Amino acid sequence: MANITEPVSSNSTTDLTSCDREQVQFSGAIQPHGLLLVLEEPQLIVSHASSNTVDFLGQPAADLLNKPLSRALPLSQADALLGWLKENEIACVPVHLGAIPLHSRNFEVFAHRMGNRLIFELELATPDPSAATLLYGKVRSCLAELHSARTIPAVLDIGVRYIHQLTEYDRVVGYKFLGDGTGQVLAEARREDLPSLLGVHYPPGDIPAPARRILSLVWVRSQPDTQYIPVPIEAANPDAAPLDLSYSMLRSTSAMCNRFYKNLGVRSKLIVALVNNGELWGAINCHSELARPLTYETRVACETIAHGVSVLLGEKDKLADAEQSAQVQKNAQTLIEKISKPQFSVESLTQGLLTCLPAGGAAAILDGRIHLQGKCPDENSVRTLVGWLEKRALSLSNPTYSTHSLSSVFPPAKAFNDVASGLLAVRLGEGSYLFWFRPEVVYEVTWAGDPTKPVEVDEKDGKLRLAPRTSFDLRRSSLSGLSEAWRTYEVDAAATLGRSVRAALETAELARSMQKLQEKNAELETFAHTASHDLQTPLRGISLYSHSRAADILGDKGETEESRLQTIHRLASRMDELLQTLLRCSREGRVTPEQRWTDLNEILDQVRETLKPQPIALHATIRNSRLPQILCNPVQMQQILVNLVTNGLKYNYSEAKEVEVGVLDNVCELTLYVRDNGIGISPEKHSQIFTIFRRLPEGEEHAGGEGIGLAIVKKIIEGQGGKIWVESAVGTGSTFFFTVPQDASTPNTQSDRVSAG
Ligand code: ADP
């Protein structure tokens, strides 16, 4: 009977797992289309007999108990069977021993062993000599056709079609067990007037766990008539251990199960296992409205087809898995190469995460910052998720966490089930993670039965009894909070990626430190050049003026002594100012010139004064157009102008050397220029002259520097966000232009702050 053998307390949850607890193997009865005899070893005497022996053998079961087999069967047949047993190893899976005639009926004989019990099952046979040839032909064509199938549904479809032809049952469906215990119909062959079940999901428990376990061992279970009256089994010793009929072919199935099929209008059924790698992958299920016994040969043919289908399913499953796994690994490798480059950005990382694995959204949480890509929960939710994961203490050796039902383990995730029912996380370090999110799969499932009410419960004798559903309408239901499951290779790829991201982050940190170090070195180098170059000009002036002061003392009168001493003093102060700036820069480790409103006319006066003692300034005019007040660093502006004006005078053969400093009438940008009537520079050399230590041969004969003046000027100008260029040709003089960015928030300096030059 279909009772739960364990009493279930009335307040316990009675669901499909209750079915799983039902001990179907101890049914104590068989179906009536055969008889059962059990011999106990080593005496080989009958310990159990089905009560229908009187119908088939003409002897009541009680007369056979504790007797040898020869009491039940004719001596020759009993000897033949026992002889066969001696020669062959018998295990728990029933073996077909052949067909024997008994009392003018034919029986197929099966034997299997459970412990020290040899179980003989004699099934009424309906021999059909022509059937075997027909069956071979069918099986052969089916196997040949299977070779051409490329996909899993195609393989199943062929198997289902041939089994439909062989059994002539009304409906044959091939379905796959999904990870969550449900089954989904992937192929079917049916009587035309029946509705299609293709795509339908079966709730878990339509084949309960114990039945699945047995099915994967025996491959075929047939029930020619679900509306039978069970035949009880009589035992020689009622106190002996109950007879385990797990592998019996004739075992009476649970009454719940039979009522269930009655409700479905199913009178006979056959189920054939599809096994992949020793595990039940799915099944081919055959139903008929009429009682329709199947010959042993037909069942074997169906089983052979199921074996062929199973082998191919395994192969196709492996192939599909291998292809997808290879793709994921390739994607991960591409991303790893990208992020291994020194300049990798977090944006390219998060974008890459999304292309790496099939997911709806991805996030990188690095140094407390959250970078989201695609469809993700909001930043706050991601932060909460990080907090929750931190408590799970993922280690660096085992840094991944994945779930396809996040809200079932982390209830706040219900709020964002739509985007993140699935989470795959890799921990990179404290509070740092890579996340992939998968959206909720809205299973608009057509259930063959009500998944929320899988069984009804009868209460009798103070015990709960399972009763099958009384209706089998197709229902639509949506499972909530479930995403597509993460595959093992996806989790592995994520872990590999996590390791590479950690390495890349460490390398990037190292590269940043190196870069800073190099920048510091370069600045120090520039300081050294600037110091040696720019300090020369005022120093030369001091030297020349002190020299002419000495000449004065010797009587050669020129400029007034006071004025010369004042100039020496000013030049020395300017040098001091330059040195102070350099000192400040070197202390701060970078050039951060302070900007202030500066009158360019004053700067130019200082330039004139700096150059005045120099021989190159003799017979030279330094002119200026109307110059404005601008925002700049005055010391640096003076450096720029001293260098440019010096060059204008230095590279100049003209009798009357002229240098003009002016400002372009340009509203958007402040552009200054320094124009000379010197030797000019041929256009192909324009780009070279700003390179450090680059001097042009044309300038060799002139009082020369080291080729660093323009390099310094360029660096200062670009350091302020400006640019410098030259317009010149040989013999026509040169004009150097440079821009000085002005703070946009300040009023335009050129229009209202112009003073006369
Ligand atoms: P230096 O410090 O040697 O003068 P610069 O970097 O200032 O070097 O200039 C680089 C080269 O550019 C000079 O050697 C010279 O040939 C050329 N040059 C610079 N300014 C001018 C100019 N106004 N007219 C012609 N040639 C110039």
Side-chain angles (χ1 to χ4, degrees):
M1 278 301 293
N3 298 342
I4 301 169
T5 50
E6 263 180 81
V8 177
S9 74
S10 54
N11 57 3
S12 75
T13 315
T14 303
D15 59 13
L16 297 168
T17 58
S18 310
C19 278
D20 293 353
R21 292 202 298 271
E22 191 180 357
Q23 294 185 304
V24 288
Q25 68 272 35
F26 300 118
S27 62
I30 57 166
Q31 298 172 60
H33 60 283
L35 66 94
L36 177 138
L37 293 168
V38 180
L39 298 187
E40 213 154 63
E41 292 175 314
Q43 300 89 345
L44 294 178
I45 53 159
V46 176
S47 63
H48 298 78
S50 56
S51 60
N52 58 356
T53 51
V54 71
D55 304 328
F56 293 127
L57 306 176
Q59 301 188 72
D63 290 359
L64 304 179
L65 297 173
N66 287 321
K67 304 280 170 5
L69 188 61
S70 53
R71 178 66 180 266
L73 305 180
L75 191 59
S76 60
Q77 284 167 345
D79 281 350
L81 288 183
L82 292 174
W84 195 94
L85 286 180
K86 262 189 207 145
E87 282 162 28
N88 294 281
E89 203 43 44
I90 299 261
C92 62
V93 177
V95 177
H96 182 231
L97 302 185
I100 56 169
L102 283 173
H103 298 273
S104 69
R105 284 196 270 200
N106 273 324
F107 289 86
E108 302 286 356
V109 185
F110 301 90
H112 72 279
R113 182 193 300 279
M114 287 301 279
N116 66 337
R117 286 167 174 169
L118 288 167
I119 301 171
F120 286 93
E121 294 175 272
L122 283 70
E123 186 189 305
L124 264 179
T126 43
D128 178 359
S130 63
T133 332
L134 192 79
L135 289 173
Y136 281 136
K138 286 266 184 229
V139 171
R140 211 167 146 229
S141 342
C142 176
L143 294 180
E145 219 177 294
L146 278 174
H147 281 296
S148 62
R150 300 204 169 276
T151 62
I152 288 172
V155 168
L156 263 186
D157 189 61
I158 294 169
V160 158
R161 219 168 357 98
Y162 275 91
I163 290 183
H164 186 234
Q165 286 173 23
L166 290 172
T167 59
E168 294 179 1
Y169 274 24
D170 300 325
R171 185 198 295 281
V172 178
V173 296
Y175 63 91
K176 176 179 182 167
F177 291 123
L178 306 179
D180 53 7
T182 62
Q184 189 187 11
V185 175
L186 299 181
E188 81 172 340
R190 62 189 154 88
R191 224 175 54 202
E192 274 179 10
D193 58 314
L194 293 176
S196 171
L197 290 180
L198 208 59
V200 159
H201 281 240
Y202 284 99
D206 267 17
I207 303 183
R212 288 190 203 190
R213 200 184 55 245
I214 294 170
L215 187 60
S216 65
L217 292 168
V218 299
W219 284 80
V220 181
R221 285 198 76 82
S222 158
Q223 205 173 340
D225 187 353
T226 57
Q227 305 313 303
Y228 63 87
I229 298 169
V231 180
I233 297 170
E234 293 179 29
N237 175 9
D239 299 328
L243 183 62
D244 184 346
L245 293 176
S246 292
Y247 299 93
S248 156
M249 329 248 329
L250 292 174
R251 172 171 58 82
S252 179
T253 50
S254 83
M256 181 189 86
C257 207
N258 292 339
R259 277 177 55 198
F260 174 80
Y261 283 104
K262 189 177 179 192
N263 295 336
L264 280 179
V266 172
R267 187 76 193 256
S268 48
K269 68 186 179 84
L270 170 79
I271 181 160
V272 194
L274 297 172
V275 180
N276 181 11
N277 262 339
E279 285 190 8
L280 198 62
W281 182 93
I284 293 179
N285 225 347
C286 317
H287 292 168
S288 172
E289 282 176 4
L290 302 174
R292 192 184 277 277
L294 293 174
T295 63
Y296 170 66
E297 286 83 359
T298 307
R299 276 155 28 212
V300 171
C302 292
E303 187 184 327
T304 311
I305 287 176
H307 281 295
V309 168
S310 291
V311 169
L312 284 175
L313 284 177
E315 235 179 56
K316 303 271 179 242
D317 244 6
K318 252 194 254 159
L319 205 71
D321 262 16
E323 271 171 15
Q324 284 162 18
S325 161
Q327 188 56 49
V328 164
Q329 276 171 22
K330 197 172 151 202
N331 295 345
Q333 198 47 45
T334 313
L335 182 56
I336 287 169
E337 276 162 26
K338 223 188 244 178
I339 59 174
S340 304
K341 295 198 175 131
Q343 299 300 330
F344 98 90
S345 67
V346 180
E347 286 68 34
S348 67
L349 170 66
T350 42
Q351 270 166 17
L353 292 182
L354 212 47
T355 49
C356 188
L357 294 180
I365 301 98
L366 305 171
D367 298 329
R369 287 211 187 144
I370 295 176
H371 310 265
L372 303 176
Q373 190 73 34
K375 289 186 180 157
C376 304
D378 61 32
E379 282 202 14
N380 275 343
S381 307
V382 171
R383 219 176 286 284
T384 328
L385 205 50
V386 168
W388 175 72
L389 275 172
E390 281 292 273
K391 285 188 208 124
R392 301 190 78 92
L394 302 176
S395 65
L396 285 187
S397 56
N398 187 16
T400 54
Y401 175 81
S402 67
T403 172
H404 70 290
S405 174
L406 183 59
S407 55
S408 68
V409 281
F410 177 60
K414 276 200 185 96
F416 46 84
N417 261 346
D418 53 335
V419 289
S421 284
L423 168 73
L424 169 56
V426 184
R427 190 173 191 265
L428 302 174
E430 203 183 324
S432 292
Y433 286 87
L434 299 179
F435 282 168
W436 286 266
F437 300 110
R438 273 188 181 161
E440 181 175 38
V441 176
V442 181
Y443 285 96
E444 259 313 307
V445 184
T446 308
W447 290 99
D450 182 352
T452 60
K453 199 180 175 203
V455 288
E456 293 155 11
V457 178
D458 290 338
E459 278 198 55
K460 275 184 196 168
D461 313 328
K463 290 181 178 178
L464 291 175
R465 290 165 206 270
L466 288 175
R469 293 190 285 270
T470 50
S471 75
F472 203 68
D473 296 338
L474 295 184
R475 291 162 193 267
R476 298 189 82 76
S477 149
S478 70
L479 297 173
S480 65
L482 289 182
S483 76
E484 253 182 57
W486 301 97
R487 313 291 295 264
T488 314
Y489 57 77
E490 291 172 333
V491 178
D492 289 348
T496 311
L497 199 65
R499 279 192 291 277
S500 301
V501 170
R502 263 205 317 273
L505 288 173
E506 281 163 12
T507 313
E509 183 56 42
L510 208 68
R512 268 198 296 277
S513 308
M514 290 286 287
Q515 172 85 10
K516 270 188 200 155
L517 215 63
Q518 276 167 3
E519 279 169 8
K520 276 238 157 79
N521 277 342
E523 273 177 10
L524 280 173
E525 209 175 294
T526 313
F527 287 160
H529 285 145
T530 311
S532 67
H533 182 273
D534 288 6
L535 291 176
Q536 271 174 9
T537 315
L539 205 57
R540 240 178 248 148
I542 292 169
S543 153
L544 285 167
Y545 262 44
S546 44
H547 181 73
S548 78
R549 164 78 183 99
D552 283 353
I553 293 170
L554 293 174
D556 178 12
K557 300 281 175 195
E559 238 176 298
T560 69
E561 190 175 330
E562 191 194 348
S563 133
R564 283 184 183 168
L565 285 173
Q566 271 170 1
T567 306
I568 291 173
H569 176 71
R570 271 198 302 277
L571 289 174
S573 315
R574 211 152 300 140
M575 221 167 98
D576 185 48
E577 215 175 318
L578 263 174
L579 282 168
Q580 290 296 334
T581 309
L582 282 174
L583 202 63
R584 224 179 17 254
C585 291
S586 76
R587 276 209 198 108
E588 289 169 10
R590 64 203 167 94
V591 183
T592 49
E594 182 209 340
Q595 303 244 317
R596 58 172 189 257
W597 286 110
T598 307
D599 186 341
L600 284 180
N601 301 293
E602 281 174 19
I603 297 290
L604 199 60
D605 284 345
Q606 288 167 9
V607 172
R608 283 194 188 96
E609 191 167 54
T610 306
L611 296 179
K612 194 170 154 194
Q614 314 271 349
I616 51 163
L618 275 179
H619 312 298
T621 314
I622 302 171
R623 277 210 309 260
N624 65 292
S625 61
R626 283 162 62 83
L627 295 176
Q629 277 196 5
I630 64 164
L631 257 185
C632 67
N633 177 271
V635 176
Q636 286 193 326
M637 183 52 73
Q638 199 190 330
Q639 274 179 279
I640 296 168
L641 289 177
V642 165
N643 271 295
L644 293 179
V645 173
T646 304
N647 280 355
L649 299 176
K650 201 160 64 169
Y651 302 106
N652 202 327
Y653 291 143
S654 306
E655 293 268 304
K657 298 178 188 174
E658 278 184 19
V659 173
E660 182 194 337
V661 178
V663 62
L664 285 189
D665 197 10
N666 188 336
V667 218
C668 310
E669 227 175 358
L670 183 73
T671 308
L672 295 172
Y673 65 86
V674 178
R675 177 172 296 134
D676 63 57
N677 58 348
I679 60 172
I681 308 162
S682 62
E684 67 274 14
K685 309 271 174 59
H686 287 185
S687 58
Q688 300 172 15
I689 56 173
F690 295 102
T691 311
I692 199 157
F693 303 128
R694 182 60 65 92
R695 308 198 67 238
L696 301 183
E698 300 90 294
E700 297 266 284
E701 59 196 83
H702 301 272
E706 307 77 21
I708 59 170
L710 286 179
I712 291 171
V713 165
K714 184 168 186 267
K715 190 167 163 58
I716 295 173
I717 289 169
E718 288 179 349
Q720 295 172 349
K723 54 186 188 292
I724 181 167
W725 69 100
V726 65
E727 282 177 8
S728 178
V730 176
T732 63
S734 310
T735 307
F736 285 82
F737 297 90
F738 64 98
T739 59
V740 186
Q742 299 294 285
D743 186 350
S745 62
T746 58
N748 188 306
T749 53
Q750 292 180 55
S751 53
D752 57 357
R753 287 176 184 267
V754 172
S755 55

